[in-house]
Amino acid sequence: MLLVVEQFLNGLQFGLLLFLLAAGLTLVFGIMDLVNLAHGSLYMMGAYFAATFAAWTGSFLLGALMALGATLVLGIVLEMTALRHLYGRDHLDHVLATFGLILFFNEAVRLIWGPAGLALPLPAWLTVPVPILPGIHYPAYRLAIIAVALLVALLLYLGVMRTRIGMLIRAGASNREMIGALGINIKLLYTLVFGLGAALAGLAGLMQAPILTVQIGMGENILILAFVIIVIGGIGSIRGAFLAAIFVGMIDTLGRAFLPNLLRQVLSGAAASTAAPALSSMLIYLLMAIVLVVRPEGLFPANRR
Amino acid sequence: MKAFSVSKAVTALMLAGLVLLPLYSHLTGNIFILTLFTRIIILALAAASLNLIMGFGGMMSFGHAAYLGIGGYAVGMLAQEGVGSGFIQFPVALAASATYALVIGALSLRTRGVYFIMITLAFAQMAYYVASGLARYGGDDGLTVYKRSDFSGLINLGDRMQFYYLCLACLLGVIFLIWRIVNSRFGLVVQGLRSNEQRMQAIGFAAKRYQLVCFVISGTMCGLAGALLANNTDFVSPAVMYWTRSGDLMVMVILGGMGTLFGPIMGAVVFLLLEEFLSQITEYWALIMGPLLLLIVLFGRGGIMGALGRAGRG
Amino acid sequence: MAEPLLRVEKLVRRFGGIIATDNVSLEVASGELHAIIGPNGAGKTTLISQLTGHLEPHSGSVSLAGRDITYLPAYRRCALGLARSFQITSLLLDFTAADNVALAAQAHAGTSFRFFANARKEKGLRDAAHAALDRVGLLHRADVVVSRLSHGERRELELAVALASKPKLLLLDEPMAGLGVTESQRMVKLLQELRKEVSIVLVEHDMPAVFALADRISVLVYGRVIASGDPAAIRQNEDVKRAYLGDQHVVTHHG
Ligand SMILES: Nc1ncnc2c1ncn2[C@@H]1O[C@H](COP(=O)(O)OP(=O)(O)OP(=O)(O)O)[C@@H](O)[C@H]1O
Ligand SMILES: [Mg+2]
């Protein structure tokens, strides 16, 4: 029971982190029609910034805030110098150019911070276990992640659904010419949207940093998960990204936790322990395959074009 | 009759260079260059196979490195289980790649555009994780191939020169096949589908069927590259199918010139030599390579073949 | 009475709130040239696309020579003898004119799962392509890449491609759209000849051409067939005069 609740919360927490990453990716794709592989690099940069700034200032929170600002700025700079020139080009061009950016970021990090990973220690008040149910404790920090991510998701939802900027964003996703005709500064809007996406990725990275080691390439595997989420959720749809992210987070976490035991019930011990790791890492992709067979456009395709 | 063209001349020069390279290596005693070019040729083979679906078929696969792994693991796993014969290893490698391509292709081709890019990427990543989970075959650390594929005296893969020429023969054979395919009925259909799928459906072609077959052919060819690669490095690990390797293959194709016969070879040679060269200047070569890619995308339409064609026209 | 070549029954297709095809029933007899006219946005292209399988209807049925084809994919219908031209030219831009036509011929001449022999050297296919090109007066442009053809030439090529698949029923979506006067006249002459060999459904805004060519005319307004009959009857029909000619400003406005 204890394990189930704990893994369930772990799944939720992982899913929410994935959402932060996928939301930026899907926004940028939905609005600017840009496939940004380097999104994972922004996630990595968020983590590196946080570890560095926290060490400088001696404060976790201050470091995190500064890191958030730094990824935002980095995103904006990246958009203005490089990615802006890719709008309207072939998707293949996006893939290649941003692939180049990944190489660049990974190497830059290696140059600046060295090949070894960094650690981002948590302050004591975030490491205490919090009782959530009678007899069940859960780390405060992971609860904090859940709370922050939920809050951001809510703000994002309200922002996109209820505000003027959000309306523009939605209009942009469905009709690029229209906002142009309304006399809105598209360039600025695009830069801001990209910056927002970068900040979200950075937030995911810096929150994940204390749990995993901060290392080169940390953004790549999780980026591919974010792709899977977008494919499942439907490209350009925030709601789809949210639901798919939770779903994928849960399946992945619960699969890794419980699949080996489940397999042991049906297979011999040796066979189970060989098959389990492979199978549990395949789980999400199997899920994606199933969604593709049933709904090739994803579960919640946004009404684009 | 077409007149002299720069791209043809450069291509011929490059091919001649590849054929004569072992001679140079033998005369100068420079073994390194032979090893380097064996690798280049194998990856050129992989790039050529990718070019078949990407350049001619318009299917932007971002998961092509999976076949390198599948072909490689087929050789490695069979070797570990005591099956050393290349006559078994290679067919199994090809069959395994074809099967994987059939399944992945059938699923991925339900989508198009960016979805297709992302999905092929995701499936290749799945293959990567599966390989990492193969505890019996080294898991993350990979699998050493202690004995190269045995072709019972027909050809000795342990001999550098023989192995080099085997790889070159495979590459040229595959290029020849692609050339025939591209101009065949099947090839015209596949290229027509790249150009305008709606039109092709309207004149009576079942689009997906042709694309899937093309996808499988391409995957099988790349599986061959995988089998050769495992023999070349005497080792296979999940890293050969990591997604950056798929990205490298795409870069080679685009750099050389998508949808041209010899472009992928050109792209592989230039890309890998550049990598080699930069890594000798600085440890941080990717710092240069990354932005270089960006610039190539922004300014280098049509790749090297495109540039040579323009140079030829003056 | 003999089974009509094409029978459309109670076809319905919606786009969001718009009913683009509203309970359309039609029959096209073998050998007939059946024109479909109607103002812009009446649903003519939508109807054609459902006949060819590029668009699925929400209800109703389409049958060709007595066989229900409502849910057959486009390529299967083509094999059964349906061919179309597109209102907005849809060709293989990076192929030559001859290649475009030869591919259409290839689709109907044995399997295309041939991987080795050079298809461009297959005499049968090339001859068929050249014949179709000759038919539309494009033979001299056979080896020109489509992206270098003029608009008018592309319209003619559309027709040649459709012809090369040796259809029983030809669906032409505004073959004269955007043509100059002489080009239009050539096209009308060509259609005059073709109608002797193949049944045709012709969507066209050019009224003189329609009335000169058609055996029967159906008038589509807001997705509905408001009248169907021979040209003389349509000319006299009060509903048509009111609804269609009353909407004439729509034609001039958008067209
Ligand atoms: N793919 C689509 N999505 C949404 N609405 C569509 C779509 N295709 C057509 N429509 C709508 O359906 C109606 C019929 O369009 P259709 O193109 O069939 O008209 P048409 O008679 O061919 O007009 P025209 O003479 O301009 O070619 C129009 O209101 C159009 O806006
Ligand atoms: Mg129309």
Side-chain angles (χ1 to χ4, degrees):
Chain A
M1 181 59 199
L2 175 89
L3 191 64
V4 174
V5 173
E6 190 181 322
Q7 291 300 345
F8 189 79
L9 283 170
N10 282 349
L12 180 67
Q13 177 247 310
F14 185 46
L16 284 167
L17 269 180
L18 286 175
F19 166 70
L20 293 183
L21 207 61
L25 207 55
T26 206
L27 267 181
V28 167
F29 183 78
I31 293 160
M32 284 94 98
D33 200 24
L34 175 78
V35 187
N36 180 20
L37 295 185
H39 201 66
S41 299
L42 294 164
Y43 167 92
M44 171 178 75
M45 293 310 288
Y48 269 95
F49 283 146
T52 312
F53 292 143
W56 277 357
T57 59
S59 154
F60 174 79
L61 278 186
L62 204 58
L65 274 179
M66 287 168 71
L68 197 59
T71 29
L72 177 72
V73 172
L74 179 65
I76 288 178
V77 170
L78 196 60
E79 199 269 353
M80 298 205 319
T81 51
L83 296 179
R84 167 174 293 183
H85 306 289
L86 292 171
Y87 297 151
R89 305 274 298 246
D90 204 53
H91 287 146
L92 193 60
D93 288 353
H94 301 169
V95 168
L96 283 178
T98 53
F99 179 70
L101 285 178
I102 294 179
L103 294 184
F104 174 78
F105 274 112
N106 282 347
E107 207 69 312
V109 165
R110 199 152 70 92
L111 184 68
I112 299 170
W113 283 282
L118 298 182
L120 175 54
L122 282 174
W125 58 274
L126 274 174
T127 53
V128 286
V130 179
I132 40 169
L133 284 173
I136 298 181
H137 293 257
Y138 195 68
Y141 182 64
R142 284 182 183 257
L143 283 178
I145 295 184
I146 294 178
V148 170
L150 277 177
L151 185 70
V152 170
L154 185 69
L155 287 178
L156 206 58
Y157 178 80
L158 290 179
V160 172
M161 287 320 211
R162 295 279 139 68
T163 65
R164 206 175 118 74
I165 288 263
M167 268 174 48
L168 290 177
I169 288 178
R170 276 183 298 145
S174 50
N175 188 343
R176 239 152 273 163
E177 288 78 36
M178 194 181 86
I179 20 179
L182 288 175
I184 286 131
N185 187 340
I186 289 208
K187 259 190 167 168
L188 185 65
L189 181 71
Y190 281 7
T191 307
L192 289 181
V193 169
F194 193 89
L196 174 68
L200 287 175
L203 180 63
L206 71 91
M207 290 205 300
Q208 188 76 307
I211 300 179
L212 306 170
T213 10
V214 179
Q215 60 187 359
I216 296 167
M218 66 184 279
E220 294 167 13
N221 297 333
I222 203 163
L223 175 81
I224 292 170
L225 281 188
F227 277 152
V228 172
I229 286 165
I230 293 183
V231 168
I232 293 179
I235 293 182
S237 158
I238 297 270
R239 193 168 57 116
F242 184 78
L243 294 173
I246 303 288
F247 201 40
V248 166
M250 289 283 182
I251 297 252
D252 190 50
T253 309
L254 298 182
R256 278 173 209 283
F258 300 116
L259 200 64
N261 276 327
L262 282 179
L263 278 185
R264 225 158 276 144
Q265 316 244 311
V266 272
L267 296 174
S268 72
S273 49
T274 10
L279 197 60
S280 47
S281 50
M282 275 177 72
L283 221 50
I284 312 169
Y285 303 99
L286 289 178
L287 176 75
M288 179 180 77
I290 294 168
V291 170
L292 272 181
V293 171
V294 190
R295 301 276 298 258
E297 295 278 279
L299 294 177
F300 305 93
N303 302 321
R304 294 180 49 238
R305 256 150 283 188
Chain B
M1 193 58 219
K2 277 196 193 105
F4 167 84
S5 90
V6 178
S7 58
K8 271 188 194 154
V10 174
T11 306
L13 219 59
M14 179 186 69
L15 291 180
L18 289 180
V19 172
L20 295 177
L21 189 96
L23 193 66
Y24 171 81
S25 156
H26 182 72
L27 291 178
T28 58
N30 185 343
I31 287 171
F32 169 75
I33 197 168
L34 193 60
T35 326
L36 174 66
F37 268 85
T38 310
R39 196 169 84 90
I40 291 179
I41 285 174
I42 294 172
L43 290 176
L45 171 52
S49 74
L50 176 59
N51 183 41
L52 176 62
I53 50 172
M54 201 162 103
F56 293 107
M59 294 171 260
M60 305 302 167
S61 162
F62 201 158
H64 225 60
Y67 306 104
L68 287 179
I70 292 169
Y73 269 99
V75 169
M77 284 159 79
L78 283 173
Q80 166 141 337
E81 301 301 341
V83 182
S85 166
F87 294 116
I88 298 177
Q89 289 177 349
F90 274 64
V92 169
L94 299 192
S97 304
T99 312
Y100 173 82
L102 188 66
V103 176
I104 298 308
L107 288 168
S108 311
L109 282 168
R110 295 177 61 83
T111 66
R112 54 197 62 232
V114 197
Y115 278 95
F116 188 82
I117 296 179
M118 290 184 183
I119 281 159
T120 45
L121 169 62
F123 279 126
Q125 199 66 3
M126 176 184 86
Y128 169 82
Y129 283 123
V130 169
S132 308
L134 294 174
R136 183 181 164 78
Y137 301 104
D140 265 332
D141 300 329
L143 176 64
T144 303
V145 184
Y146 287 104
K147 204 168 159 298
R148 291 192 175 183
S149 303
D150 173 19
F151 283 94
S152 26
L154 195 66
I155 180 171
N156 176 12
L157 268 51
D159 179 285
R160 270 195 208 89
M161 185 109 59
Q162 289 189 34
F163 185 58
Y164 177 89
Y165 277 117
L166 173 69
C167 293
L168 187 59
C170 285
L171 173 63
L172 295 180
V174 159
I175 295 280
F176 174 75
L177 272 182
I178 291 178
W179 174 60
R180 298 305 307 203
I181 290 175
V182 163
N183 290 301
S184 72
R185 280 186 166 213
F186 175 79
L188 289 189
V189 174
V190 167
Q191 290 168 83
L193 288 168
R194 175 200 63 200
S195 178
N196 186 343
E197 189 170 327
Q198 170 185 267
R199 168 44 83 193
M200 293 299 282
Q201 300 254 18
I203 57 178
F205 290 106
K208 294 286 171 268
R209 231 174 272 169
Y210 296 93
Q211 287 174 329
L212 183 57
V213 171
C214 188
F215 196 82
V216 172
I217 294 175
S218 159
T220 313
M221 288 173 169
C222 196
L224 174 63
L228 291 171
L229 194 63
N231 273 295
N232 185 43
T233 44
D234 301 310
F235 179 68
V236 56
S237 77
V240 293
M241 34 176 138
Y242 197 60
W243 70 293
T244 50
R245 177 46 60 81
S246 299
D248 289 348
L249 291 179
M250 274 180 130
V251 172
M252 291 175 204
V253 172
I254 302 211
L255 183 64
M258 269 212 292
T260 61
L261 217 44
F262 292 98
I265 307 186
M266 199 84 80
V269 170
V270 171
F271 180 81
L272 292 168
L273 284 184
L274 196 66
E275 189 181 276
E276 189 63 37
F277 172 69
L278 287 178
S279 65
Q280 273 172 14
I281 305 178
T282 162
E283 184 190 345
Y284 302 105
W285 59 272
L287 221 45
I288 306 168
M289 190 65 122
L292 205 57
L293 282 185
L294 190 71
L295 292 180
I296 289 171
V297 168
L298 288 178
F299 303 110
R301 304 267 75 188
I304 298 172
M305 283 309 212
L308 291 178
R310 281 192 294 277
R313 259 172 269 123
Chain C
M1 225 191 94
E3 181 69 29
L5 183 58
L6 179 78
R7 186 204 294 276
V8 179
E9 268 174 69
K10 300 195 183 125
L11 213 58
V12 176
R13 170 75 207 201
R14 293 176 292 269
F15 288 114
I18 309 168
I19 306 185
T21 306
D22 188 357
N23 241 317
V24 168
S25 299
L26 267 185
E27 284 185 4
V28 178
S30 205
E32 180 176 83
L33 192 151
H34 193 122
I36 296 176
I37 61 173
N40 286 98
K44 303 180 295 293
T45 300
T46 306
L47 176 61
I48 297 284
S49 293
Q50 290 169 90
L51 301 183
T52 55
H54 289 93
L55 204 60
E56 273 204 357
H58 286 116
S59 66
S61 72
V62 181
S63 52
L64 185 72
R67 171 166 181 183
D68 185 2
I69 58 166
T70 317
Y71 296 105
L72 279 191
Y75 70 91
R76 295 274 306 280
R77 298 185 202 212
C78 184
L80 292 176
L82 265 186
R84 84 177 284 183
S85 75
F86 289 88
Q87 176 176 3
I88 299 164
T89 328
S90 178
L91 294 160
L92 311 175
L93 286 181
D94 45 352
F95 283 61
T96 64
D99 281 345
N100 268 269
V101 188
L103 267 168
Q106 180 184 320
H108 298 266
T111 176
S112 281
F113 285 104
R114 287 192 205 157
F115 301 89
F116 215 68
N118 190 332
R120 289 197 179 88
K121 291 192 176 141
E122 281 190 49
K123 192 156 179 311
L125 298 182
R126 284 295 122 172
D127 288 350
H130 286 148
L133 285 172
D134 196 20
R135 199 73 213 263
V136 302
L138 265 187
L139 191 53
H140 62 294
R141 304 285 275 165
D143 295 324
V144 178
V145 176
V146 174
S147 57
R148 297 187 175 206
L149 293 181
S150 73
H151 174 75
E153 288 171 330
R154 291 186 200 188
R155 301 303 308 171
E156 290 165 346
L157 183 56
E158 277 269 337
L159 194 57
V161 170
L163 283 178
S165 60
K166 303 233 178 300
K168 290 195 204 108
L169 177 61
L170 201 51
L171 306 167
L172 303 177
D173 196 353
E174 303 199 19
M176 284 167 241
L179 292 189
V181 181
T182 34
E183 287 171 322
S184 282
Q185 282 168 351
R186 275 223 316 264
M187 186 66 84
V188 171
K189 234 181 103 211
L190 182 57
L191 292 180
Q192 288 284 19
E193 289 168 26
L194 283 178
R195 57 172 305 180
K196 293 175 200 149
E197 301 157 27
V198 53
S199 314
I200 298 177
V201 171
L202 173 69
V203 171
E204 192 44 70
H205 278 304
D206 183 336
M207 288 309 137
V210 166
F211 280 91
L213 287 165
D215 296 312
R216 286 206 303 147
I217 299 177
S218 292
V219 185
L220 209 59
V221 176
Y222 292 126
R224 218 169 301 168
V225 178
I226 61 160
S228 198
D230 61 36
I234 294 295
R235 223 189 284 270
Q236 301 306 321
N237 188 306
E238 288 303 317
D239 281 345
V240 175
K241 276 188 195 158
R242 212 175 318 117
Y244 183 67
L245 301 178
D247 272 355
Q248 194 69 54
H249 65 280
V250 180
V251 178
T252 43
H253 192 74
H254 293 291

